[in-house]
Amino acid sequence: DEYIAPADSKAVGGNKKVPWRLFLTHPMLLVLYCNHAAANFINYSLLTELPTFLQESLHLSTSLQLAATALPYVANVLVMMIISLPA
């Protein structure tokens, strides 16, 4: 809180140190780091493994594989657009 200047403050400056230890060890930020890592893992797993799964396990044709592989990413974009409407 002390690192964020009030909105009516006109004075900017000072030699306050950046609290790196707090940024790296704060529980809320640790949750964000884990969430980001998990989301990236799922994203790259879908990107690399989904086409192989569709071909070898479900025996889909190439055109159906393309549509099925794009479906998670299209759904992601649509959900993000819907979620961002209230903001």
Side-chain angles (χ1 to χ4, degrees):
D1 294 341
E2 63 196 55
Y3 295 97
I4 300 173
D8 60 351
S9 174
K10 296 180 182 178
V12 177
N15 287 332
K16 292 187 179 183
K17 292 185 178 181
V18 177
W20 290 111
R21 183 176 300 219
L22 180 63
F23 287 148
L24 297 175
T25 60
H26 194 276
M28 293 293 282
L29 290 175
L30 290 174
V31 169
L32 285 175
Y33 303 151
C34 292
N35 184 16
H36 184 72
N40 279 339
F41 177 77
I42 291 170
N43 189 26
Y44 290 123
S45 295
L46 276 175
L47 181 68
T48 58
E49 296 296 328
L50 188 58
T52 304
F53 170 76
L54 293 173
Q55 182 179 12
E56 293 179 0
S57 298
L58 300 180
H59 307 291
L60 292 179
S61 66
T62 305
S63 60
L64 286 176
Q65 283 180 30
L66 291 173
T69 302
L71 190 61
Y73 301 104
V74 171
N76 187 17
V77 169
L78 292 175
V79 167
M80 290 300 156
M81 289 171 63
I82 292 170
I83 288 174
S84 67
L85 286 177

